[in-house]
């Protein structure tokens, strides 16, 4: 082959290799920038954050990574969720290495937003200890289903259903330590109790048949305490019962300086606690 032509071919190959390397670096930079910019100044009220969209695989990887990194689940999720645009449906890239790497990126480029996001996830995830009901209780992802009582609205929680439609039989346990913040009757929620956990999450248990004790606002609650019994109260003035089947409505809320009450989907949070269901003796109806 002509030496001149060979030289030109080599020069073209070198240029091609350099261009591929440059494009790879640019792609990495764009991907990094895009993921970092997923952190917005006010993430809490967004549908992506509130949905808490996970999967069985993601829950398994979450537990593994929390152990490997010695970080809380809330901290791990505050890294992973922006990486995946707040929708974790597979766990292929959810590793301890990626958790540390992307956590460093977020702290470097979006520290204020990232630290706020960490607080939000800690409020939802880092005080969880027990599933709120027994082994026979079932539930599904009913987040944002339509409801009509009191006007057309969306369901901001998860309904847990007993095997038998009997009020006052199935105990409800506090999922966290905390302080009683609200107790008593609500038109929609019936007899309810709201507990503020140490990291700031608000856990709302509604439609109770009655309370397990004479709880007072400001009283300390321990995870696993029986707080009441599943019932069918609500949808009317104080004492109204029987407007729907016996169940527990569980709501979980976070707050920020701008937003005092933002609901998040409890479904995958409940799924993460499946191995933490307590045993008990049924109460007499």
């Amino acid at each position: 082959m002509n030496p001149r032509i060979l030289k030109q071919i080599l020069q073209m190959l070198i240029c091609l290799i350099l261009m591929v390397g440059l494009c790879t670096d640019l792609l990495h930079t764009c991907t990094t920038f895009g993921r970092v910019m997923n952190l917005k100044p006010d993430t809490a009220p967004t549908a992506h954050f509130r949905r808490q969209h996970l999967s069985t695989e993601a829950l398994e990887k979450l537990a593994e990574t929390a152990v490997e990194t010695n970080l809380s689940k809330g901290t791990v999720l505050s890294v992973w969720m922006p990486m995946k645009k707040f929708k974790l449906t597979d766990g292929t890239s959810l590793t301890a290495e990626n958790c540390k790497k992307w956590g460093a990126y977020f702290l470097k480029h979006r520290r204020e937003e990232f630290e706020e996001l960490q607080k939000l996830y800690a409020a939802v995830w880092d005080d969880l200890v027990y599933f709120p009901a027994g082994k026979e209780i079932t539930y599904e992802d009913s987040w944002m289903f339509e409801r009509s009582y009191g006007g057309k609205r969306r369901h901001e929680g998860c309904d847990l259903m007993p095997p038998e439609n009997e009020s006052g039989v199935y105990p409800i346990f506090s999922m966290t330590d905390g302080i009683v913040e609200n107790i008593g009757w609500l038109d929609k929620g019936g007899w309810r109790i709201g507990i503020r956990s140490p990291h700031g999450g608000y856990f709302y248990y509604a439609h109770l048949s009655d309370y397990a004790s004479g709880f007072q606002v400001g009283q300390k609650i321990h995870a696993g305490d029986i707080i009441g019994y599943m019932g069918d109260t609500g949808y009317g003035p104080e004492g109204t019962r029987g407007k729907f089947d016996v169940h527990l409505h569980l709501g979980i809320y976070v707050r920020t300086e701008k937003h005092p009450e933002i609901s998040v989907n409890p479904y995958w949070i409940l799924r993460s606690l499946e191995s933490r269901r307590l045993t008990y003796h049924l109460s007499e109806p």
Side-chain angles (χ1 to χ4, degrees), residues 119-120 122-124 126-128 174-183 193-205 216-223 227 251-257 259-264:
K119 291 178 183 177
L120 292 172
V124 176
D126 288 353
D127 296 317
L128 300 173
S174 179
M175 300 168 69
T176 68
D177 291 343
I179 302 293
V180 175
E181 190 166 296
N182 290 296
I183 193 165
I193 184 169
I195 297 171
R196 184 73 63 180
S197 71
H199 282 92
Y202 183 72
F203 292 77
Y204 169 76
Y205 308 85
Q216 303 292 325
V217 171
Q219 182 174 338
K220 290 183 179 179
I221 298 289
H222 298 288
I227 53 179
I252 300 177
Y253 298 81
V254 297
R255 61 185 177 185
T256 67
E257 289 184 3
H259 310 281
E261 185 177 276
I262 300 168
S263 61
V264 299

Side-chain angles (χ1 to χ4, degrees), residues 109-222:
H109 298 289
R110 305 284 280 184
R111 176 177 290 273
E112 184 176 344
E113 292 83 356
F114 183 52
E115 289 178 346
E116 180 62 26
L117 191 65
Q118 284 181 311
K119 291 178 183 177
L120 292 172
Y121 275 106
V124 176
W125 287 87
D126 288 353
D127 296 317
L128 300 173
V129 181
Y130 293 115
F131 193 87
K135 292 182 178 179
E136 71 279 22
I137 304 301
T138 60
Y139 59 99
E140 63 179 18
D141 190 352
S142 59
W143 175 253
M144 291 290 120
F145 281 16
E146 286 192 3
R147 294 291 188 267
S148 59
Y149 178 79
K152 190 175 180 180
R153 56 192 173 87
R154 296 289 180 175
H155 189 229
E156 294 189 341
C158 191
D159 289 340
L160 292 85
M161 312 300 296
E164 302 291 339
N165 188 36
E166 297 182 79
S167 180
V169 174
Y170 302 95
I172 302 303
F173 306 97
S174 179
M175 300 168 69
T176 68
D177 291 343
I179 302 293
V180 175
E181 190 166 296
N182 290 296
I183 193 165
W185 185 267
L186 284 181
D187 183 71
K188 291 187 179 72
W191 297 118
R192 64 56 163 110
I193 184 169
I195 297 171
R196 184 73 63 180
S197 71
H199 282 92
Y202 183 72
F203 292 77
Y204 169 76
Y205 308 85
H207 306 313
L208 303 179
S209 68
D210 54 292
Y211 300 107
S213 177
F215 297 113
Q216 303 292 325
V217 171
Q219 182 174 338
K220 290 183 179 179
I221 298 289
H222 298 288

Side-chain angles (χ1 to χ4, degrees), residues 63-81:
E64 292 174 10
T65 305
V67 172
E68 290 174 9
T69 58
N70 198 31
L71 297 172
S72 71
K73 289 182 178 180
T75 298
V76 173
L77 283 172
S78 67
V79 178
W80 278 356
M81 292 300 254

